Amino acid sequence: MSVWSSIGSIVGAIGTGGAQIVDRLVQLVLARPEGVNTVGFTVAMIALSAKMAKADGVVTADEVIAFRELFDVPPNEEKNVARLFNLAQEDVAGFDVYAKKLADLFPYDRKTLLDILDGLFHIAKADGVVHQSEISYLSEVAKVFGLDDREFSKALARHVRKGGDPYEVLGIGAQASDAELKAHYRREVQETHPDRLIARGVPEEFVRIANDRLAALNEAWAQVCAERGI
């Protein structure tokens, strides 16, 4: 069964909705024979994207397009995805409840949780600016995920990097030596390879996220090299 057929089954099992949909989502994801990774990741992205839409009060066409860039939804499954999105938006549970329950699907898997955060940033910036309300939302999601301030600052710097600190994008202090910087940069590039994301159960379309990460790393590295003359 494909991830989208699974989403359809989940939406069908939820039915007309009601309070605490996230509990039912998690139970249904855990019951899928395909395992948690791909289905759980996709459900988490849809649900948290829906909650983020409330952060600035409106879902824009750009945000919908950005979502579709990350997920190649078959035409016959678009209604189910839209239904799940709307159910999550309407649920009385706050985003922190969603974030905690969905994060529990990936215990001790910080990299996948960072992938989800990156996906949310990609959607948030689709209209050309990450609004302060969205930054606040994403910061709280990161805290619920158990990510620290350094990890969030690194993600924020990647996505809102115009005139930003290249060391934050790279995730290393400015006091690092040239040799330490080079070694760190190479590790970051290796970890950013699309195959690494796909191996974690991230949909193949998320190669866009890997490419964005790599572009941010390369831009920051070029800036640091120019400043240091290396």
Side-chain angles (χ1 to χ4, degrees), residues 87-106:
L87 286 170
Q89 242 188 348
E90 295 167 6
D91 189 13
V92 296
F95 76 88
D96 53 334
V97 175
Y98 268 69
K100 179 63 173 70
K101 297 267 185 192
L102 294 168
D104 287 345
L105 293 173
F106 307 99

Side-chain angles (χ1 to χ4, degrees), residues 173-224:
Q175 72 279 4
S177 68
D178 290 353
E180 289 170 335
L181 272 169
K182 287 178 182 178
H184 178 81
Y185 168 69
R186 287 169 182 160
R187 284 194 300 271
E188 289 289 308
V189 169
Q190 188 176 34
E191 281 297 320
T192 302
H193 194 283
D195 288 349
R196 293 294 181 96
L197 274 72
I198 292 170
R200 295 199 292 271
V202 174
E204 290 185 20
E205 295 83 14
F206 252 64
V207 69
R208 175 67 180 270
I209 292 297
N211 289 338
D212 282 353
R213 281 181 185 171
L214 188 58
L217 286 170
N218 287 339
E219 183 180 316
W221 175 246
Q223 185 178 339
V224 167

Side-chain angles (χ1 to χ4, degrees), residues 61-120:
D62 290 326
E63 289 171 336
V64 174
I65 291 170
F67 181 85
R68 288 177 175 173
E69 286 176 346
L70 300 181
F71 294 96
D72 186 14
V73 184
N76 62 322
E77 297 291 349
E78 287 182 352
K79 286 185 178 180
N80 287 325
V81 172
R83 177 65 175 148
L84 180 54
F85 190 95
N86 290 334
L87 286 170
Q89 242 188 348
E90 295 167 6
D91 189 13
V92 296
F95 76 88
D96 53 334
V97 175
Y98 268 69
K100 179 63 173 70
K101 297 267 185 192
L102 294 168
D104 287 345
L105 293 173
F106 307 99
Y108 313 111
D109 188 354
R110 300 176 81 85
K111 290 180 180 178
T112 294
L113 294 173
L114 281 166
D115 292 337
I116 293 172
L117 187 65
D118 259 342
L120 293 172

